[in-house]
Amino acid sequence: MAITNQIALLFSLLFLICIQNSASVSTESDVLLSFKDSIDDPLGLLVSWSNSTTNHHCNWTGVTCIATKDVLSVSSLNLQSLNLSGEISATICDLPNLFHLNLADNLFNQPIPLHLSQCGSLETLNLSNNLIWGTIPNQISQFESLRVLDFSRNHVEGMIPGNIGLLQRLRVLNLRNNLLSGNVPSGISNLTELTILDLSENPFLVSEIPSGIGKLLKLEQLLLQSSGFHGAIPDSFMDLKSLSTLDLSQNNLTGVLPQSLELVSLRKLVSFDVSENKLFGSFPNGVCDAKGLTTLSLHTNSFTGLVPDSSITGCLNLERFEIQDNGFSGDFPDGIWSLPKIRLIRAENNRFTGKIPESISMAKQLEQVQIDNNTFISKLPLGLGQVKSLYKFSASVNGLYGEIPNNFCDSLVMSIINLSHNYLTGPIPELKRCRKLVSFSLADNNLVGEIPHSLAAFPVLTYLDLSQNNLTGSIPKELQNLKLALFNVSFNDLSGEVPQSLITGLPASFLQGNPGLCGQGLPNSCGGTKSKHEVAGLSKLVSVIISLALSLAIVILAVGVYITYRSSKKSTQMGVWRSVFFYSLRVTEQDLLVAMDDKAARGSGGAFGKVYIINLPSGENVAVKKILNFESQSLKTLKAEVKTLAKIRNKNIAKILGFCYSSDALILIYEHLQKGSLGDMIAQPDFKLPWDDRLRIATGVAQGLAYLHQDYVPHLLHRNVKSTNVLLDENNEPKLTGFALDRIVGEAAFQSSVLSASSGSCYIAPESGYCKKATEQMDTYSFGVMLLELVTGRGADEHIESGDGEFLDIVKYVRRKINITNGAIQVVDPKISNSSSQQTILQALDIAVRCTSVAPEKRPPMCEVVRALQSL
Ligand SMILES: *[C@@H]1O[C@H](CO)[C@@H](O)[C@H](O)[C@H]1NC(C)=O
Ligand SMILES: *[C@@H]1O[C@H](CO)[C@@H](O)[C@H](O)[C@H]1NC(C)=O
Ligand SMILES: *[C@@H]1O[C@H](CO)[C@@H](O)[C@H](O)[C@H]1NC(C)=O
Ligand SMILES: *[C@@H]1O[C@H](CO)[C@@H](O)[C@H](O)[C@H]1NC(C)=O
Ligand SMILES: *[C@@H]1O[C@H](CO)[C@@H](O)[C@H](O)[C@H]1NC(C)=O
Ligand SMILES: *[C@@H]1O[C@H](CO)[C@@H](O)[C@H](O)[C@H]1NC(C)=O
Ligand SMILES: *[C@@H]1O[C@H](CO)[C@@H](O)[C@H](O)[C@H]1NC(C)=O
Ligand SMILES: *[C@@H]1O[C@H](CO)[C@@H](O)[C@H](O)[C@H]1NC(C)=O
Ligand SMILES: *[C@@H]1O[C@H](CO)[C@@H](O)[C@H](O)[C@H]1NC(C)=O
Ligand SMILES: *[C@@H]1O[C@H](CO)[C@@H](O)[C@H](O)[C@H]1NC(C)=O
C-alpha cells in the first residue's frame, strides 16, 4: 500500500511537471484537441473533436459552453460511458471556465488525477465507475473549488485522509464501492456543506461512525450500508434535521437507537434502514413524525418490546415495513394493515400476538405479507380477499383458526400462500380466480372434505402441500395434468386409486399415512392382492424414486418459480407479432398474415411451411416463408442470427428484407424477383434459355456461393442449393435464396425437416448420410447438380430413361452417358447443343461432373469453380 501511495505521488508530481512545461496553448479548441491526444477512444466516439472551421468546438460531443463577455467558453465536459481510456491530461485545466468534468463509466486505469486540482474553476469531478486505483493522497485538499466529488465504483484503497475536511465547499462526497480501510477521520465533520455522504460498500472501512457527523447540518443522504461500521450510533444524529435517507444496514452496529431517532426529530426522513446490525432496545416510537416516511426497516436485529399502534398510524406514506427477525412482542399494531400506501409487511420470526383485522381491505396497494412464526390468533378476514394487489401471503406457524373464506384467493396476482401449521378447519374452498398461484401450502391444519378438483385448473401450480389434515375422498385424476414439482398429501384420510403419474414419475409425491389409497406400487394395489415379497420390493423402489424425486423437486421448484415469474411477465407478449424490417416495406405483420392465403402459396413449401409470394401496396413482390415449430432458440439468438444473414450484401444473394416473429412462429421476408425461380423455369415444357444466359446463371450462383463460403464473415454454408432456390431477374442475373436456414431454426430442426424432406433428392451429396458435419463440399455437390440441370435442360427431379430401360436421376444418368464415346454430347440439352458454343458447354459439363464427384475432396472449391466458369 505504501508503494502504491508513492507511485501515486510520483504520478502526480510528473503531471505537475508536465503542466509547467506545456506551453500555454492558445484557443480552447486546441486545448480540447490536446486533451483528446492523450485519450484512447477505441469506439471513435470523439470523432467530432477535430480542428475544422465548420464545426465549432462548442458543438463537439460532450462539450457545453457558456457565454462570457459575448465569447463562448467551455463550461462542462461530459464524456461518460464512451469506453475511453488513456490519460486524463491536465491540459484541460487551460480551460478557464471549466466547471464540470464527468468521465464516469469509462476505463481510465490510473491513480486519482491530482493534477486536475490545477483546474481553478472545477466544481464537479465525476470519475465514478472507472479503474482508478491507489490511495487518496493528502493533497486531495488542493481541489479547493470542488463541490461534487464522485470516486464511486473504483479500486481506491487506504485510509480517507483527514485533510479531506479542508474541501470546505464539498456538497457531495461519494466514495461508494471502493477498497477504503481504517477509520473515518473526524475531519469529515468539517464538511459542513455536505448534503450527500456515501461511504457504503467499503467492507474494509472498519470504523465507528464519527460523532462529529452531527455537525453536518445540511446532510440529506447518509449512506453507510454494507461497510464495517461498528459501535453505537452517535447521539449527535438528533441534529441531522435535514436527513431524508439514512441507510446504516449491514454493518456491525450495536447498542440502542439514539433518543433522537427513537422519539422525534428527523422529520424529513423518507427512508430509514438500520437492518442487519446488532441493535437492541425498543421500537423507535416517534418515527412516524416524519410524515413522508416510505421505508422503515429494522429487520435482523435484536429489538424487543411492543410496537404500539399509536406509533404507526401517522405513517400515511409508509410502503415498506420490515421488522422481521427481532424479538418484538405484544399485539401487532392494527393500524399497519390499513395504511393506504403499504406494500410490504414483514414481521415473521417475532413473538407478536393479535388479529388480522377486516380493515386489511383498505390496504389497496398491499403486495406481500409475511408474518410466519408468531402467535397471531385470528380468523382469516373476508377483507383479505378484497386486496387485489396481494401477491404473497405467508402466515405459517401461528394460531389461525376458523374456515378459509371463499374469496380468500380472489387476488388475480396471488402466487404464494403458506398457511401451514395453523388450526384452520372446514373444507378447502373452490379457488377460482388466482390463476397465478405457484405455491400453496395448507399443511398441518384441521381441514376436512375433499381435495377440490378446481386445483387442477391452476396453470402454474408447482408446489402443493396438503399434508397432515383430515382430507377425505380420492385424489383428483386431473392433478396429473399439472406440472407439479411437489405434491404432499401425506397423513390425511384419502382413499381410492392414485393417478399413476403421481406415483411413478415426478412430482415427488408424498402419500404415506393414507391407508385407503391404492395403486400400482403402493402397499395396496387397487385390484387384486400382491405377494408380500413383491410389495416390499415395490415399496423399496418407490422410496428410491421418491428420494430421487425429492432432490429433483427442490431444483425444479426453484426453476419453476423462476420460470413462472418470467413467463408471467412475458405472457402479455404471447401471440403478439413483432417485426424487424431491414428495408422500409410499409406493411404491417397483420397485412402479411392476411395476405398469406392459399392463392399466394407457391410450391410444396417443404417442411418449414409454404412460401408465399405477396404483392405489397408499393407494387413490389416479396417472398414470405413461414416457419413453425422451430427449435426453441431464445428470441435474442434468433434475432441475432437473422440479422447476421440480413447483413449479406452480394448481387447474387437475395436480400432478407425483414422478419416477423411471435412466440411460436417466424416469418422471413425475402426479396422476390419477377421471373421466379430457375427451377420453375426448367420445369416448363418450353424451357429454351440460350446457353449464354445459362452460363451467366451458373456463374452468378457460383459467385454467390463463393461469397458465402469465403468472403462473408461469419463464413456460411447454404445447405439447400437447388434450382428452386435460384431466383432470376429480368436479365437472368441469379440470386440465391433460402440460405443458411440451419442457423435460424437450429441444427436439429434443420436436419429433421429440410434435410429429411430432401432425403433421396439428388441434390444431396452422398456423404451427407454419414457425415455429421455439413461442409462446403456438400454445397459444391448441389451446385454441380444444378449445373447439370442447366446443361441437360432437365430438372433434377426428373428420372431419365437411360436407354436400357432403367430410370436414373440426373447425376447417374450423366455419369453413365459420359463414359461412352460421344456420350457427353448426348446429354447436352438438344435446344442448345447445335449452337456455336458447344465447346464451352462441354467444358461446363466437365466442371459439373467434377463438382458432383462422389469423393468430396475431388470437388473443386467454389472460388475455383467461379474462375473456371468465367474463363469459358
Ligand atoms: C487548428 O487550426 C489552427 C488554425 O486553423 C492552427 O493554428 C492550430 O495549430 C490547429 N491546431 C491543431 C491542434 O492542429
Ligand atoms: C452548433 O450547431 C448548430 C446547428 O447544428 C448551429 O446552429 C450553432 O450555431 C452551432 N454553434 C456554434 C457555436 O457553432
Ligand atoms: C466497452 O468496454 C468494455 C470493457 O472493455 C467492453 O466489454 C465493451 O464491449 C465495450 N463497449 C463497446 C461498445 O465496445
Ligand atoms: C457521476 O456519473 C454517474 C454516471 O452518469 C452518475 O450516475 C452519478 O450520479 C454522477 N455522480 C454525481 C455525484 O452526480
Ligand atoms: C476544520 O476546519 C478548520 C477551519 O475551518 C480548521 O482549522 C481545522 O483544522 C479543520 N479540522 C480538520 C480536522 O480538518
Ligand atoms: C462484525 O464483528 C465481528 C466481531 O465482532 C466480526 O467477526 C465480523 O466480521 C464483523 N462483521 C462485519 C460485517 O464487519
Ligand atoms: C421463530 O421465532 C423465534 C423468535 O420468536 C425464533 O427464535 C425462532 O428461531 C423462529 N423459528 C424459525 C424456524 O425461524
Ligand atoms: C411454509 O411454511 C413452513 C413453516 O414456516 C415452511 O417450513 C415451508 O417451507 C413453507 N412452505 C413454502 C412453500 O414456503
Ligand atoms: C410431507 O408432509 C409430511 C407431513 O407433514 C412431512 O413429514 C414431510 O416432511 C413432507 N415432505 C415434504 C417434502 O415437504
Ligand atoms: C382429524 O382426525 C384426527 C385423527 O383421525 C381426529 O382426532 C381429529 O378429531 C380430526 N379432526 C377433525 C377436525 O375432524
Side-chain angles (χ1 to χ4, degrees):
M1 208 170 289
I3 291 177
T4 46
N5 214 341
Q6 280 173 11
I7 293 176
L9 207 62
L10 197 64
F11 261 77
S12 42
L13 279 176
L14 279 174
F15 281 123
L16 288 178
I17 293 167
C18 290
I19 293 170
Q20 270 146 29
N21 285 353
S22 65
S24 71
V25 265
S26 44
T27 68
E28 290 206 328
S29 61
D30 286 342
V31 173
L32 290 172
L33 287 176
S34 103
F35 178 70
K36 181 189 173 187
D37 273 350
S38 68
I39 286 180
D40 288 337
D41 173 22
L43 307 180
L45 297 172
L46 296 184
V47 67
S48 65
W49 289 39
S50 69
N51 199 1
S52 91
T53 45
T54 49
N55 190 9
H56 191 273
H57 68 271
C58 290
N59 270 345
W60 293 357
T61 304
V63 178
T64 309
C65 293
I66 47 162
T68 54
K69 301 186 209 103
D70 292 339
V71 182
L72 283 177
S73 178
V74 178
S75 63
S76 163
L77 272 184
N78 184 353
L79 302 179
Q80 71 175 57
S81 312
L82 301 178
N83 264 22
L84 303 178
S85 57
E87 247 161 54
I88 304 170
S89 142
T91 52
I92 202 71
C93 292
D94 289 334
L95 300 172
N97 296 306
L98 183 66
F99 295 115
H100 307 291
L101 180 58
N102 186 352
L103 301 174
D105 303 332
N106 282 299
L107 300 165
F108 290 107
N109 184 345
Q110 61 167 75
I112 289 172
L114 262 190
H115 50 278
L116 291 182
S117 61
Q118 301 294 309
C119 299
S121 310
L122 200 62
E123 292 185 351
T124 304
L125 177 57
N126 192 341
L127 287 170
S128 173
N129 195 21
N130 275 281
L131 303 164
I132 306 289
W133 47 270
T135 58
I136 306 179
N138 257 314
Q139 292 88 331
I140 194 79
S141 58
Q142 291 166 359
F143 280 100
E144 282 161 7
S145 55
L146 274 191
R147 294 174 193 271
V148 176
L149 180 57
D150 191 341
F151 286 158
S152 60
R153 304 172 70 197
N154 280 292
H155 306 301
V156 178
E157 60 185 356
M159 308 252 281
I160 303 174
N163 264 5
I164 205 156
L166 295 172
L167 299 177
Q168 302 256 327
R169 296 175 158 205
L170 219 50
R171 290 177 184 162
V172 177
L173 177 59
N174 190 349
L175 302 175
R176 182 192 203 115
N177 197 336
N178 275 291
L179 303 167
L180 295 168
S181 55
N183 258 305
V184 175
S186 58
I188 209 148
S189 59
N190 256 13
L191 301 174
T192 50
E193 293 296 312
L194 272 189
T195 58
I196 299 178
L197 176 59
D198 190 342
L199 304 177
S200 62
E201 296 173 40
N202 278 287
F204 309 118
L205 201 57
V206 178
S207 172
E208 297 202 355
I209 301 178
S211 63
I213 202 98
K215 297 204 182 123
L216 308 182
L217 297 180
K218 297 188 177 168
L219 210 54
E220 292 169 10
Q221 297 183 25
L222 180 57
L223 305 170
L224 304 180
Q225 71 272 20
S226 311
S227 287
F229 288 99
H230 57 85
I233 302 176
D235 275 332
S236 62
F237 261 75
M238 80 178 88
D239 298 326
L240 300 176
K241 302 261 195 277
S242 306
L243 209 55
S244 68
T245 303
L246 177 63
D247 195 342
L248 306 178
S249 63
Q250 294 184 302
N251 279 293
N252 246 345
L253 298 168
T254 52
V256 297
L257 291 177
Q259 277 288 298
S260 56
L261 293 178
E262 196 181 315
L263 278 177
V264 252
S265 74
L266 305 188
R267 289 174 190 264
K268 295 205 172 148
L269 271 182
V270 171
S271 173
F272 179 82
D273 190 346
V274 295
S275 62
E276 297 184 61
N277 278 290
K278 295 173 181 164
L279 298 166
F280 48 88
S282 55
F283 184 82
N285 282 331
V287 75
C288 286
D289 286 357
K291 296 285 178 240
L293 196 70
T294 61
T295 299
L296 178 59
S297 186
L298 307 177
H299 72 83
T300 324
N301 278 291
S302 303
F303 290 109
T304 50
L306 307 178
V307 181
D309 204 28
S310 59
S311 68
I312 279 302
T313 43
C315 274
L316 291 179
N317 285 300
L318 198 63
E319 295 174 11
R320 303 174 69 90
F321 182 65
E322 298 172 280
I323 58 169
Q324 72 270 25
D325 296 300
N326 276 294
F328 289 118
S329 56
D331 273 359
F332 191 73
D334 262 5
I336 285 283
W337 299 110
S338 46
L339 289 177
K341 298 205 171 152
I342 195 79
R343 290 196 287 125
L344 172 68
I345 296 176
R346 291 194 63 176
E348 69 267 25
N349 302 329
N350 279 290
R351 288 191 286 274
F352 283 116
T353 54
K355 285 190 166 26
I356 305 170
E358 282 294 346
S359 59
I360 191 174
S361 63
M362 291 156 69
K364 294 281 184 241
Q365 321 274 330
L366 190 58
E367 292 169 3
Q368 203 174 325
V369 173
Q370 285 173 253
I371 53 171
D372 314 71
N373 190 21
N374 280 288
T375 320
F376 282 88
I377 298 182
S378 176
K379 290 190 172 187
L380 288 172
L382 276 169
L384 190 60
Q386 292 162 18
V387 182
K388 296 294 183 247
S389 46
L390 203 58
Y391 148 82
K392 176 171 186 177
F393 187 82
S394 192
S396 65
V397 197
N398 272 292
L400 303 180
Y401 64 94
E403 297 200 359
I404 302 175
N406 279 326
N407 74 343
F408 173 69
C409 206
D410 274 4
S411 163
L412 297 178
V413 291
M414 182 67 92
S415 291
I416 300 170
I417 295 173
N418 195 341
L419 296 172
S420 60
H421 308 291
N422 278 292
Y423 302 90
L424 298 167
T425 52
I428 304 173
E430 294 281 345
L431 310 174
K432 293 216 170 73
R433 310 192 61 185
C434 43
R435 309 281 298 170
K436 301 233 166 103
L437 197 61
V438 173
S439 170
F440 190 33
S441 177
L442 298 174
D444 188 19
N445 279 284
N446 297 321
L447 299 167
V448 296
E450 301 204 352
I451 300 175
H453 287 245
S454 57
L455 279 180
F458 289 114
V460 290
L461 190 60
T462 313
Y463 183 107
L464 183 58
D465 190 349
L466 306 176
S467 64
Q468 283 188 289
N469 279 289
N470 283 13
L471 300 173
T472 51
S474 59
I475 298 174
K477 291 233 167 353
E478 303 91 317
L479 287 178
Q480 293 188 95
N481 304 333
L482 292 175
K483 302 211 164 41
L484 286 170
L486 185 138
F487 178 64
N488 197 344
V489 290
S490 55
F491 303 104
N492 276 288
D493 240 329
L494 299 166
S495 55
E497 186 170 3
V498 181
Q500 193 55 31
S501 80
L502 289 176
I503 302 178
T504 50
L506 282 172
S509 295
F510 297 87
L511 307 168
Q512 82 262 36
N514 292 287
L517 287 180
C518 68
Q520 220 177 1
L522 294 181
N524 306 329
S525 65
C526 295
T529 47
K530 292 212 161 127
S531 75
K532 276 233 163 84
H533 181 74
E534 201 179 337
V535 170
L538 277 172
S539 65
K540 209 177 212 169
L541 178 67
V542 167
S543 70
V544 168
I545 290 173
I546 285 178
S547 56
L548 272 179
L550 176 59
S551 27
L552 265 174
I554 292 167
V555 174
I556 287 179
L557 176 62
V559 172
V561 168
Y562 176 70
I563 290 175
T564 320
Y565 173 63
R566 292 192 32 142
S567 63
S568 68
K569 284 181 88 173
K570 257 199 227 154
S571 60
T572 48
Q573 299 170 12
M574 298 256 278
V576 173
W577 286 91
R578 281 158 198 285
S579 343
V580 177
F581 291 157
F582 305 110
Y583 295 83
S584 73
L585 289 179
R586 294 204 208 89
V587 282
T588 65
E589 54 276 349
Q590 301 307 338
D591 297 340
L592 289 175
L593 290 172
V594 169
M596 286 164 63
D597 55 14
D598 288 343
K599 248 182 8 226
R602 287 300 134 79
S604 67
F608 275 119
K610 295 189 162 113
V611 174
Y612 300 86
I613 309 300
I614 292 176
N615 192 259
L616 298 186
S618 61
E620 235 176 317
N621 279 339
V622 293
V624 173
K625 198 177 186 73
K626 184 168 181 182
I627 298 177
L628 292 164
N629 306 326
F630 49 99
E631 243 165 85
S632 54
Q633 310 204 49
S634 80
L635 230 41
K636 206 172 145 204
T637 322
L638 183 68
K639 272 198 272 187
E641 290 297 354
V642 181
K643 279 186 184 165
T644 301
L645 303 188
K647 273 192 256 165
I648 300 174
R649 293 284 176 276
N650 182 282
K651 74 172 162 62
N652 296 118
I653 308 279
K655 291 201 235 359
I656 294 184
L657 305 176
F659 63 98
C660 314
Y661 58 95
S662 72
S663 54
D664 58 354
L666 173 72
I667 294 177
L668 287 170
I669 308 164
Y670 292 94
E671 71 175 318
H672 185 67
L673 303 179
Q674 218 60 33
K675 272 199 172 166
S677 80
L678 174 65
D680 293 345
M681 203 184 264
I682 294 178
Q684 262 148 40
D686 58 345
F687 173 65
K688 50 171 183 282
L689 208 57
W691 172 244
D692 284 351
D693 286 324
R694 297 190 197 195
L695 184 58
R696 174 172 319 121
I697 292 169
T699 314
V701 172
Q703 280 168 337
L705 279 177
Y707 180 78
L708 291 181
H709 288 177
Q710 294 199 334
D711 298 331
Y712 191 65
V713 180
H715 297 330
L716 297 173
L717 298 177
H718 187 297
R719 299 198 67 183
N720 200 11
V721 178
K722 52 183 182 180
S723 55
T724 47
N725 272 337
V726 174
L727 302 176
L728 300 175
D729 73 6
E730 57 279 11
N731 301 321
N732 291 318
E733 187 67 41
K735 280 183 200 265
L736 275 165
T737 184
F739 45 89
L741 274 179
D742 56 322
R743 295 183 65 109
I744 297 177
V745 302
E747 179 64 28
F750 182 78
Q751 296 236 358
S752 72
S753 42
V754 171
L755 284 189
S756 74
S758 47
S759 78
S761 149
C762 70
Y763 285 110
I764 304 291
E767 74 273 17
S768 302
Y770 53 86
C771 280
K772 287 232 168 64
K773 213 167 163 301
T775 59
E776 291 178 10
Q777 286 88 1
M778 294 180 185
D779 275 354
T780 307
Y781 186 94
S782 310
F783 170 81
V785 176
M786 190 214 74
L787 186 50
L788 287 180
E789 292 183 89
L790 286 169
V791 169
T792 62
R794 294 167 185 267
D797 299 329
E798 243 179 279
H799 281 83
I800 308 161
E801 217 272 338
S802 67
D804 45 16
E806 228 181 321
F807 284 87
L808 299 172
D809 69 38
I810 192 168
V811 182
K812 296 209 181 86
Y813 167 79
V814 170
R815 268 198 212 123
R816 187 170 296 187
K817 282 283 183 189
I818 57 176
N819 284 337
I820 54 177
T821 324
N822 284 336
I825 198 67
Q826 287 178 31
V827 305
V828 175
D829 187 352
K831 290 176 200 117
I832 52 174
S833 67
N834 291 327
S835 75
S836 53
S837 33
Q838 203 180 76
Q839 199 52 37
T840 62
I841 297 176
L842 289 178
Q843 280 169 316
L845 177 63
D846 184 53
I847 294 170
V849 169
R850 279 199 287 140
C851 287
T852 51
S853 295
V854 175
E857 65 277 6
K858 293 219 174 114
R859 297 172 207 152
M862 282 317 297
C863 55
E864 204 180 302
V865 175
V866 172
R867 257 177 272 128
L869 288 173
Q870 279 170 340
S871 72
L872 292 183

